[in-house]
Amino acid sequence: MLFYDCSTAPNPRRARMFIAEKELKIETREISIAKGEQLSDAFKAVNPNATLPVLVTDDGTVLTENLGIAAYLEARFPEPPLMGRTPDEKGMVLMWNSIVEQQGGLPIAETLRNTHPAFANRALPGPVNHAQIPELAQRGTARVDQFFDLLEARLSQSAFLAGSEFTLADITAFVFVDFARVIKKRIPQENNASLAWFEKVSARASTQL
């Protein structure tokens, strides 16, 4: 297998944490988004969509989305399970992973990409340039606040997002919550359940990669 990573970006970090939790050693190539290497002809020959992460399997299949990468690795290396064991657990993991992506990841990205000078004319990832829209950043900021409320409500009832065990959904949430620092957003100090969860996940070795 071959893993294309970017050490500074949140989505590759999600895959990197998943790989680490599985205790896998996979050949890795670093692609610098800051240098625009994802837009090079060499990388677009691997992934025409010019996005990261990418996992090329032993059979040569190119997987370009976190969920596809996770599903492949979970099927091939089922222990430890990160996507549930029972039908109910599997459903909960994917449900919460989707909620976190839609309610957390997207508004954080929306805020960053529509305000930061580095993303001028790059408001959306991929091979096509898009202009920044300041109003989307304003909406994104408000949505991030709502996401922290949602997270606190869930973690006040459950040790981890999808239930009693650490899963893919927690990886996704942890990475986005940590990355929210780039838009000057952190877990509110009164959100005790979320802060306890974040500290617990931060202690895992996979978060240090």
Side-chain angles (χ1 to χ4, degrees):
M1 291 185 287
L2 179 60
F3 177 56
Y4 289 86
D5 194 5
C6 176
S7 59
T8 60
N11 279 319
R13 187 185 185 193
R14 292 165 58 190
R16 193 162 65 247
M17 280 185 64
F18 195 96
I19 291 167
E21 289 286 341
K22 291 288 186 181
E23 299 184 351
L24 300 174
K25 303 296 182 184
I26 299 176
E27 181 183 350
T28 299
R29 292 183 186 171
E30 177 76 9
I31 302 295
S32 172
I33 292 176
K35 296 178 181 178
E37 291 177 354
Q38 81 280 16
L39 300 172
S40 69
D41 290 340
F43 183 71
K44 286 198 291 184
V46 178
N47 179 15
N49 291 325
T51 59
L52 292 151
V54 174
L55 180 71
V56 182
T57 73
D58 290 337
D59 291 336
T61 300
V62 179
L63 302 171
T64 64
E65 298 294 331
N66 265 293
L67 193 55
I69 292 170
Y72 169 80
L73 293 176
E74 183 85 349
R76 187 170 172 188
F77 308 99
E79 298 295 333
L82 294 173
M83 299 179 73
R85 290 189 185 276
T86 69
D88 283 19
E89 289 172 355
K90 292 175 184 292
M92 287 291 285
V93 171
L94 292 186
M95 181 185 81
W96 276 103
N97 190 75
S98 179
I99 289 172
V100 170
E101 287 184 333
Q102 297 296 322
Q103 304 301 323
L106 283 180
I108 291 168
E110 199 170 61
T111 302
L112 176 64
R113 283 185 168 270
N114 285 287
T115 56
H116 199 287
F119 292 102
N121 296 315
R122 293 290 303 157
L124 291 173
V128 179
N129 291 337
H130 293 276
Q132 292 177 323
I133 303 175
E135 291 81 0
L136 290 181
Q138 296 171 9
R139 184 183 71 180
T141 299
R143 290 184 63 207
V144 172
D145 291 336
Q146 295 167 4
F147 171 65
F148 282 130
D149 290 342
L150 181 155
L151 203 63
E152 179 67 10
R154 174 56 179 170
L155 293 171
S156 295
Q157 303 172 344
S158 179
F160 293 101
L161 278 174
S164 61
E165 301 296 330
F166 177 85
T167 70
L168 170 68
D170 297 288
I171 292 175
T172 301
F174 175 84
V175 169
F176 287 144
V177 167
D178 195 35
F179 190 68
R181 68 185 183 279
V182 301
I183 59 167
K184 297 180 172 60
K185 288 288 186 181
R186 307 304 289 164
I187 297 173
Q189 286 303 305
E190 64 271 20
N191 290 18
N192 294 323
S194 298
L195 290 169
W197 165 86
F198 189 82
E199 182 178 0
K200 181 169 52 179
V201 177
S202 295
R204 302 181 77 90
S206 64
T207 67
Q208 305 307 310
L209 301 177

